[in-house]
Amino acid sequence: MYISQHFIYKSLPFLLCFSISNLLFGQDNQGDSLKAVLRATIEDTSKLTVLNKLFYHYMDKDLDQSLTYAYQFLTTAQSHPEEKYTCWGYHHLGNVHRKMNSDLDTIFNFFDKALTCCEDLEDADCKGNVLTSMANVYNRNGAYTKAISSYQEALEIAKENKDTMGMIPCLANMAGVYKRRYEYEKSLDFYQQALNYSKEKELTSYIGKIT
């Protein structure tokens, strides 16, 4: 459908006022729209798609709501014929509990279930994502040996799948761990590898973080 420039320019004052009012009154139109779609959705796959979007939408806005949608995602996933969704549900719950600074037993209870689920399905991508999340928690809590082991395993999976976007954060995170352990030569080597892959893919956002 063609929309003329005249229509756009004529609509600008309204659009600006609408945007400003949203900012002033703290409206969450995207979240509200997703909730409306969820209420109207019956089929499980579509419901999982909407719940997934709601989970991520609230991860940086309202962790309690994010947790609620993660649990709803898992409950719906457990009755879905594709078991991969159950793996994602456990992973979601581990991640939101990580952001909520829950106790480590709670966090790893969900990550362990996600990892077992991925391994049972022989889903390498899923396993790599979970391992990276686990490594991030180990790293944050000073369990550097476990962090390196998990990052390394995730890195090997990414290499096998030729997944550059999965390799770069693993390499950069490993560099950070070695730096905290005062192993500067190893740290520099991993930083350089991450930088090289970032330049190869012209990923300027990664390059800025690494340099």
Side-chain angles (χ1 to χ4, degrees):
M1 181 178 69
Y2 175 73
I3 301 176
S4 70
Q5 287 187 343
H6 173 72
F7 175 83
I8 294 172
Y9 291 138
K10 189 175 180 181
S11 302
L12 275 175
F14 169 77
L15 292 172
L16 286 171
C17 289
F18 183 73
S19 299
I20 291 169
S21 67
N22 283 348
L23 289 172
L24 289 175
F25 294 104
Q27 292 182 5
D28 181 13
N29 289 324
Q30 184 180 357
D32 291 341
S33 297
L34 287 168
K35 289 175 185 177
V37 173
L38 181 63
R39 287 192 293 271
T41 302
I42 299 174
E43 196 269 323
D44 277 352
T45 302
S46 299
K47 185 178 291 186
L48 286 168
T49 300
V50 179
L51 287 168
N52 192 55
K53 289 180 179 179
L54 281 163
F55 163 75
Y56 281 111
H57 177 74
Y58 285 108
M59 274 286 273
D60 295 321
K61 297 174 180 288
D62 185 334
L63 289 175
D64 287 333
Q65 286 209 60
S66 184
L67 181 64
T68 296
Y69 290 116
Y71 273 113
Q72 287 186 30
F73 184 98
L74 177 61
T75 301
T76 305
Q78 287 172 329
S79 62
H80 195 281
E82 289 192 59
E83 293 180 42
K84 67 179 182 180
Y85 293 116
T86 298
C87 306
W88 295 3
Y90 286 128
H91 192 198
H92 284 353
L93 284 163
N95 273 324
V96 72
H97 275 292
R98 173 181 59 82
K99 290 202 73 171
M100 296 177 80
N101 293 315
S102 299
D103 62 272
L104 293 179
D105 286 343
T106 299
I107 296 169
F108 280 106
N109 175 51
F110 289 116
F111 282 156
D112 286 339
K113 287 179 179 178
L115 189 62
T116 299
C117 181
C118 296
E119 289 174 341
D120 288 345
L121 295 177
E122 298 182 350
D123 188 332
D125 285 337
C126 176
K127 182 179 178 179
N129 288 331
V130 176
L131 285 167
T132 301
S133 295
M134 295 173 78
N136 290 338
V137 177
Y138 288 134
N139 189 7
R140 187 181 68 182
N141 287 275
Y144 297 135
T145 300
K146 288 183 178 180
I148 290 171
S149 176
S150 295
Y151 282 135
Q152 186 65 55
E153 194 173 352
L155 177 62
E156 293 306 318
I157 291 172
K159 283 182 177 179
E160 287 176 15
N161 293 336
K162 296 181 172 57
D163 177 14
T164 303
M165 293 300 292
M167 292 165 59
I168 294 171
C170 286
L171 290 165
N173 285 327
M174 288 176 74
V177 176
Y178 280 116
K179 183 179 178 181
R180 292 185 190 93
R181 286 168 50 132
Y182 307 105
E183 297 182 50
Y184 296 119
E185 287 188 15
K186 286 185 178 180
S187 177
L188 185 60
D189 177 54
F190 281 106
Y191 272 132
Q192 190 61 56
Q193 290 184 59
L195 182 60
N196 290 342
Y197 282 116
S198 297
K199 287 180 176 178
E200 182 183 305
K201 293 292 184 179
E202 298 181 351
L203 302 172
T204 54
S205 60
Y206 276 106
I207 293 171
K209 290 177 183 177
I210 294 168
T211 55

